[in-house]
Amino acid sequence: MRQTDGRSRSPRSRAGGDSQEIMQLIVQREEARLRKDFNTADALRAKLASMGVTLFDKSNSWRAADGRSGTIPSFSAIEAGLTADSLGMQAEVMPTLDDRDPLEAHIRDRVKHREQARASKDFALSDQIRDELNREYGVELFDKEKMWRTKEGLAGCIIGYSSEGIMDTEITALVARREKARLASDWGTADLIRNELREHGVDIFDKDKVWKTSSGRSGPVPTFSA
């Protein structure tokens, strides 16, 4: 998590607008996108750009010219009543993809390369990468659940079979794994899966029991019994 220099972390006025103002505009834009008011969404994006704020919809993050950064709330969070007030206070310390541990980033990259090798039926390379991950980093791969874990506590999702983006089969497996984690009160795993799916443009709407992608695909969220 990003550290501060010990001074107040309250959103103060500064060039490009304070964090509270940025988050208010971001939330307004997401509300507009949710109701498919794309003209308003584009206008708000342009206003943010004029303030030096760049939006990264694919990774659900934003970054200001002065280095501040934060997370763009998901549609499900907006529907649940998330406000700019809570997000604005976190904006200066919110971790983004660039803050990910280098080892974790390397493992994720190797996992993705293994999936691409499997997709091209290069099973020798796939096995080589699997063995390398286990030998060098203690990574266990759980292909059926689309998850990987290390003994030190790092974990992530197995995504990357298609060069065209996340596949429905990957989404379905991960959504099911998340539901099982929630049933077992394993909130860490549930949040990890939700966040990684969000990075790939997938939002989960728990109230409606459905998942949706930014490209318009959708599917059901399964229900499991205790």
Side-chain angles (χ1 to χ4, degrees):
M1 184 169 286
R2 195 181 299 275
Q3 299 294 317
T4 63
D5 57 8
R7 291 174 292 182
S8 171
R9 297 192 300 194
S10 299
R12 302 286 183 182
S13 295
R14 59 173 78 179
D18 62 29
S19 298
Q20 186 70 20
E21 181 183 5
I22 290 171
M23 290 312 306
Q24 286 174 344
L25 291 171
I26 288 174
V27 169
Q28 289 172 17
R29 176 176 177 265
E30 293 307 294
E31 290 172 341
R33 293 178 69 205
L34 183 61
R35 63 177 182 269
K36 301 187 184 303
D37 183 357
F38 299 115
N39 288 334
T40 297
D42 289 346
L44 289 166
R45 174 189 276 275
K47 183 172 182 178
L48 285 160
S50 72
M51 297 164 60
V53 177
T54 302
L55 303 177
F56 302 95
D57 288 322
K58 187 174 181 180
S59 60
N60 286 82
S61 63
W62 61 268
R63 186 174 295 277
D66 61 6
R68 284 174 294 163
S69 61
T71 297
I72 297 174
S74 67
F75 288 164
S76 55
I78 295 294
E79 287 188 323
L82 189 70
T83 66
D85 292 335
S86 58
L87 287 170
M89 297 301 294
Q90 305 171 34
E92 296 186 63
V93 294
M94 186 72 71
T96 65
L97 294 180
D98 293 335
D99 298 318
R100 183 173 284 123
D101 181 270
L103 174 59
E104 181 182 351
H106 177 69
I107 292 173
R108 284 166 59 101
D109 184 64
R110 296 304 289 159
V111 168
K112 180 179 178 180
H113 276 83
R114 176 177 178 264
E115 286 302 285
Q116 292 171 347
R118 294 177 70 207
S120 61
K121 301 188 184 305
D122 188 347
F123 299 115
L125 177 58
S126 170
D127 290 346
Q128 177 185 328
I129 295 174
R130 179 199 62 204
D131 293 343
E132 169 201 317
L133 285 167
N134 184 260
R135 181 179 64 253
E136 301 293 335
Y137 310 110
V139 176
E140 293 288 342
L141 300 170
F142 302 93
D143 289 319
K144 186 176 181 180
E145 296 182 347
K146 295 294 181 184
M147 297 288 295
W148 61 264
R149 296 184 184 277
T150 72
K151 295 176 181 178
E152 287 73 27
L154 290 178
C157 300
I158 298 177
I159 297 172
Y161 194 85
S162 171
S163 59
E164 300 298 319
I166 190 168
M167 300 173 62
D168 285 4
T169 52
E170 292 173 323
I171 298 172
T172 300
L174 287 168
V175 168
R177 178 66 184 87
R178 176 177 179 264
E179 287 306 294
K180 291 178 180 178
R182 295 177 72 207
L183 187 63
S185 298
D186 182 359
W187 307 117
T189 296
D191 289 347
L192 181 152
I193 294 172
R194 179 200 63 204
N195 292 339
E196 287 211 27
L197 285 173
R198 188 178 296 164
E199 289 175 20
H200 290 270
V202 181
D203 273 311
I204 300 175
F205 299 85
D206 290 316
K207 184 177 180 180
D208 297 327
K209 305 296 289 183
V210 66
W211 57 261
K212 297 179 181 179
T213 71
S214 55
S215 62
R217 291 175 290 154
S218 63
V221 173
T223 300
F224 298 100
S225 301

